[in-house]
Amino acid sequence: MGHEMGHYVLNHAYKGLVMIGVLIVIGFAFLNWGIKFSLTRWGEKWGVRGITDVAVLPLAVILFSFYFFLLTPVTNTISRTMEYEADMYGLNTAQQPDGEANVDMLLGEYRKLDPSALEEFIFFDHPSGRTRITAAMRWKAEHPQASSAEEVARPIFDAKGLCKN
Ligand SMILES: [Zn+2]
């Protein structure tokens, strides 16, 4: 809930609209170039008279789809960055890093928890479970005052399973 409130408080709807809006404007410039390029080469063969001919619509859809396909890492990074910001807002507001980590584990039901850095950069519109849990545990380490007495007393195990306290 803190995460979703973060999207609202941090104005992600408006910021996303502006950033995607810029990509759409650039996309129309690409569309103009791509249609002119294609019609110069194949326009006569296709029987398309010009950029104002309604028969150019399928080509426009293909070019625009291709443009946004190529921009997948860019649009995903825009989204992933805002999702990370919302995670941080949620942690600062709810102060429940273990809750965040539990939710991230549950999301692993349908999201790969530990992708490679390249895979996360290209395909992930939200941070991976690894990134989110690491951030939650870093937040927890940086805010010991937010921990309950029960959490402080809970044994901490290192990577070999040995109790450290
Ligand atoms: Zn979100």
Side-chain angles (χ1 to χ4, degrees):
M1 186 170 177
H3 170 101
E4 301 307 341
M5 284 168 59
H7 283 308
Y8 172 75
V9 173
L10 300 170
N11 294 312
H12 283 167
Y14 307 111
K15 289 174 185 171
L17 273 174
V18 169
M19 287 186 274
I20 298 299
V22 168
L23 295 180
I24 289 173
V25 169
I26 296 169
F28 277 121
F30 170 77
L31 201 55
N32 183 45
W33 172 84
I35 288 173
K36 284 180 179 168
F37 176 84
S38 301
L39 291 186
T40 303
R41 286 188 163 209
W42 306 291
E44 204 167 297
K45 183 179 170 193
W46 292 343
V48 181
R49 289 183 301 275
I51 201 165
T52 56
D53 186 347
V54 77
V56 87
L57 196 59
L59 174 64
V61 170
I62 289 168
L63 287 171
F64 217 50
S65 301
F66 178 68
Y67 170 75
F68 272 102
F69 170 72
L70 290 181
L71 280 187
T72 300
V74 176
T75 54
N76 278 347
T77 297
I78 289 171
S79 168
R80 199 173 56 250
T81 303
M82 290 194 291
E83 295 299 336
Y84 190 81
E85 287 176 352
D87 278 355
M88 291 301 106
Y89 183 89
L91 283 167
N92 286 326
T93 306
Q95 305 199 350
Q96 293 182 359
D98 291 333
E100 164 78 40
N102 279 332
V103 167
D104 297 331
M105 289 304 290
L106 290 171
L107 290 173
E109 234 356 86
Y110 66 95
R111 290 177 182 163
K112 197 172 179 183
L113 284 171
D114 193 17
S116 73
L118 182 66
E119 196 177 3
E120 187 168 355
F121 173 72
I122 295 173
F123 298 112
F124 276 60
D125 58 1
H126 284 64
S128 68
R130 179 199 60 234
T131 301
R132 298 177 111 171
I133 293 169
T134 302
M137 293 304 103
R138 187 184 309 119
W139 188 96
K140 186 177 178 179
E142 291 169 354
H143 299 81
Q145 74 282 2
S147 299
S148 66
E150 180 208 346
E151 278 181 306
V152 173
R154 188 179 298 158
I156 298 169
F157 295 93
D158 65 15
K160 292 175 185 155
L162 302 170
C163 189
K164 290 168 70 179
N165 60 344

